[in-house]
Amino acid sequence: MKFHRVLAIPVLVATAALTLTACGSDDKASSDTVVRIGTTDKDKAWDVFEQRAKDKGITLKITNFSDYQQPNLALSQRQIDVNLFQHLQFLGAYNVANNDTLTPIGSTYIVPLGLYSKKHKAVADIPQGAEIAIPNDPTNQARALFVLQAAGLLKLSSDTKAPSPADIDKGASKVRVTPVDAAQTALSLASVDGSVINNTFLDRSGIDPNSALYKDDPNNPAAEPYINALVTRAEDKNDPKLLQLVELWHDPAVQQAHSEVTKGTAVEVRRTGAELEQILQRVQQTIRDGK
């Protein structure tokens, strides 16, 4: 994935043991805890999340990154305290590649990954040799290939859990794929037969998520690696203020706003940090084994 210019990242201020800081004024905010949180998806649901946190004495200092690669780097480098933007498969790939131990502390939601088209109204209408754009980052690319295989548009030549275009059986496949930057999958829609697009870029491009020709099933146990989570450094996973953010994300007002943003496609998931760590360990082992 290519890197884009990133919004200004808060400079780390020396504190005691924790990176969470308190405001120093004499007004109500003086008792608030400041939590630096990173995302790539700040929308109106985040406005509600921010207000609910404020009601509980937590001031969120939000950095909205323009690149998927930045929030984990910022977290590891202590420029933020927690992030919320990724599923466990993406986190596992990051940890393995960087020998890091970033840790999920609570689940948020899972969204189906869908195939969209401006040229065709059904999967059956997609012709032989059609071009399909897919995300080029390894985790979303693998999931996109599974979506296309489940839709009957291609066949993978191996049973790897992390396929790439090299694993496509071209002779047995109906379509050919073109990996592009995840942000470009929606922008490419007019020039290709179809695109597998992450929810993040549907809203930005004005694409109705309910218009997908095909989606994977978020309730399938095989979808566990695609559960999104709040993530922090391993040593901070039991911090009570960070754990409180997990509960605040599941506040009914936040969930209602998130449902409106995702047009009802996001499925709320409640898993503990311990459960998520077990899934993450399996994901990371699979990645290390190269299967």
Side-chain angles (χ1 to χ4, degrees):
M1 179 179 292
K2 64 183 182 181
F3 281 64
H4 302 287
R5 184 174 65 84
V6 178
L7 301 180
I9 300 176
V11 177
L12 176 63
V13 179
T15 64
L18 296 178
T19 59
L20 306 183
T21 58
C23 299
S25 64
D26 293 328
D27 58 17
K28 179 181 180 297
S30 63
S31 61
D32 284 2
T33 296
V34 176
V35 177
R36 302 166 303 167
I37 185 169
T39 186
T40 57
D41 305 316
K42 189 178 185 302
D43 49 39
K44 69 176 184 179
W46 276 79
D47 296 336
V48 180
F49 183 40
E50 185 176 15
Q51 183 57 55
R52 293 299 293 122
K54 186 70 174 177
D55 294 342
K56 297 296 184 179
I58 303 173
T59 297
L60 295 182
K61 190 170 185 180
I62 304 169
T63 299
N64 192 47
F65 295 96
S66 60
D67 187 291
Y68 279 162
Q69 304 301 327
Q70 295 301 315
N72 282 334
L73 293 173
L75 180 59
S76 184
Q77 294 168 4
R78 297 183 174 277
Q79 295 167 337
I80 57 177
D81 305 305
V82 63
N83 66 40
L84 171 52
F85 78 103
Q86 66 191 321
H87 49 55
L88 298 177
Q89 186 73 34
F90 191 93
L91 174 60
Y94 169 83
N95 276 347
V96 171
N98 294 276
N99 194 29
D100 210 336
T101 58
L102 298 185
T103 303
I105 58 174
S107 61
T108 52
Y109 57 90
I110 186 170
V111 292
L113 186 64
L115 169 65
Y116 298 83
S117 177
K118 286 187 175 180
K119 297 181 179 179
H120 311 292
K121 294 184 178 181
V123 170
D125 297 335
I126 296 176
Q128 186 71 34
E131 180 183 11
I132 307 295
I134 63 173
N136 65 0
D137 58 284
T139 54
N140 287 306
Q141 179 173 265
R143 189 181 181 189
L145 292 176
F146 285 134
V147 167
L148 295 176
Q149 178 171 249
L153 294 173
L154 62 74
K155 182 176 176 56
L156 296 171
S157 58
S158 67
D159 61 356
T160 177
K161 295 180 181 177
S164 73
D167 295 302
I168 297 174
D169 182 340
K170 295 181 180 179
S173 298
K174 187 177 183 180
V175 302
R176 54 192 174 89
V177 301
T178 300
V180 299
D181 184 271
Q184 298 297 314
T185 53
L187 298 176
S188 301
L189 201 53
S191 60
V192 295
D193 290 279
S195 290
V196 179
I197 308 173
N198 296 72
N199 261 37
T200 297
F201 304 109
L202 294 176
D203 184 59
R204 297 177 188 178
S205 303
I207 300 170
D208 183 355
N210 294 303
S211 68
L213 304 189
Y214 187 87
K215 296 179 181 180
D216 57 6
D217 181 3
N219 294 307
N220 190 315
E224 284 185 335
Y226 304 110
I227 295 172
N228 285 262
L230 281 145
V231 175
T232 190
R233 294 175 293 275
E235 62 268 29
D236 295 330
K237 69 178 185 179
N238 295 317
D239 186 285
K241 288 298 182 183
L242 298 183
L243 292 174
Q244 191 172 8
L245 292 183
V246 176
E247 289 306 311
L248 289 173
W249 179 263
H250 292 284
D251 181 274
V254 178
Q255 288 301 303
Q256 177 61 34
H258 192 241
S259 178
E260 292 173 3
V261 168
T262 64
K263 293 182 169 62
T265 59
V267 178
E268 183 180 9
V269 177
R270 284 184 174 269
R271 295 289 189 92
T272 67
E275 290 175 308
L276 297 178
E277 284 190 67
Q278 290 179 352
I279 298 170
L280 180 63
Q281 288 171 6
R282 294 196 296 269
V283 166
Q284 292 179 167
Q285 190 58 54
T286 297
I287 294 171
R288 293 189 185 97
D289 292 342
K291 296 180 180 179

